[in-house]
Amino acid sequence: MEITNPMLKEMASPIGRPPKYKTAQALWDKFVEYVEHVDANPWKTVVKGKSQRSANDAGAKAMSQSEQLLRRPYLLREFQLYAGIYDWRVYKANNEHRPGFRTVLRAIELACESNQVSGAIVGEFKENIVARLNGIVDRQEVTGKDGQPLMQQPRELTREEAQELIRKLNEET
């Protein structure tokens, strides 16, 4: 079966052992190749415009269409497929002790994250998806008056206070 999708053609075959990168430079070169591939193959989408009257026929309307190129994000998972690395965490754990690999592995992660976040900032990528992919959380701290906790921790009652509370509850029932 012939593969026609250009990305799949570039990816390593999932059958057999993953390719070995003997040096950190070889892994980095593969990442640079992946980045060049992604940049050279943007997503294409068809944008439909408003109906316009045709110059030849005053009554007929023609729908205008144009093709828009969209920048693709650098995705660590996509690079894994491209490079034939089937489990990034395992690959990282098994190779980060080798000379130069820790730096290259972290540089690859940072390059993917930086590309995604900058794309989200300028509106090219969905912010919520980028945040999920990169573990970015938007937290708001809620406090009460003058920065005090919203709810106070309950204090322990003295024996006398507990007996008084029980007596009052029994009177109400």
Side-chain angles (χ1 to χ4, degrees):
M1 179 172 148
E2 185 173 336
I3 298 173
T4 57
N5 182 307
M7 185 66 188
L8 290 176
K9 278 185 177 181
E10 294 290 328
M11 290 180 191
S13 171
I15 300 168
R17 299 186 81 185
K20 303 289 182 194
Y21 297 98
K22 296 185 189 286
T23 65
Q25 184 63 50
L27 179 61
W28 181 252
D29 291 344
K30 191 66 172 180
F31 180 71
V32 169
E33 181 183 310
Y34 162 75
V35 166
E36 289 171 350
H37 171 78
V38 168
D39 289 345
N41 294 284
W43 287 326
K44 296 175 184 174
T45 184
V46 174
V47 179
K48 294 182 180 181
K50 294 183 178 181
S51 298
Q52 299 175 354
R53 296 216 179 265
S54 172
N56 298 337
D57 185 1
K61 288 187 176 182
M63 181 68 80
S64 67
Q65 290 186 354
S66 63
E67 190 176 82
Q68 183 178 11
L69 300 179
L70 303 173
R71 184 170 72 111
R72 288 174 42 198
Y74 306 152
L75 299 169
L76 190 57
R77 290 181 183 202
E78 192 176 71
F79 172 65
Q80 285 176 239
L81 289 171
Y82 190 87
I85 299 170
Y86 299 102
D87 189 327
W88 184 256
R89 285 181 293 207
V90 170
Y91 185 83
K92 186 176 176 181
N94 290 340
N95 291 283
E96 65 184 352
H97 68 281
R98 295 173 57 201
F101 272 81
R102 176 173 287 164
T103 302
V104 168
L105 292 166
R106 188 65 186 133
I108 290 169
E109 292 170 339
L110 288 173
C112 289
E113 182 178 334
S114 175
N115 169 269
Q116 293 167 18
V117 171
S118 64
I121 288 170
V122 298
E124 289 182 314
F125 310 138
K126 297 274 187 194
E127 299 88 356
N128 61 336
I129 294 173
V130 169
R132 285 183 194 158
L133 287 173
N134 293 294
I136 300 169
V137 179
D138 183 16
R139 291 190 180 144
Q140 291 182 336
E141 198 147 324
V142 179
T143 58
K145 184 179 177 188
D146 299 325
Q148 296 295 319
L150 216 51
M151 296 185 65
Q152 293 184 0
Q153 295 293 325
R155 65 174 181 83
E156 281 192 37
L157 297 176
T158 64
R159 183 175 187 86
E160 294 78 28
E161 290 173 325
Q163 288 173 343
E164 179 66 21
L165 186 59
I166 291 171
R167 186 187 62 74
K168 286 182 180 178
L169 288 172
N170 285 335
E171 287 176 3
E172 292 177 9
T173 56

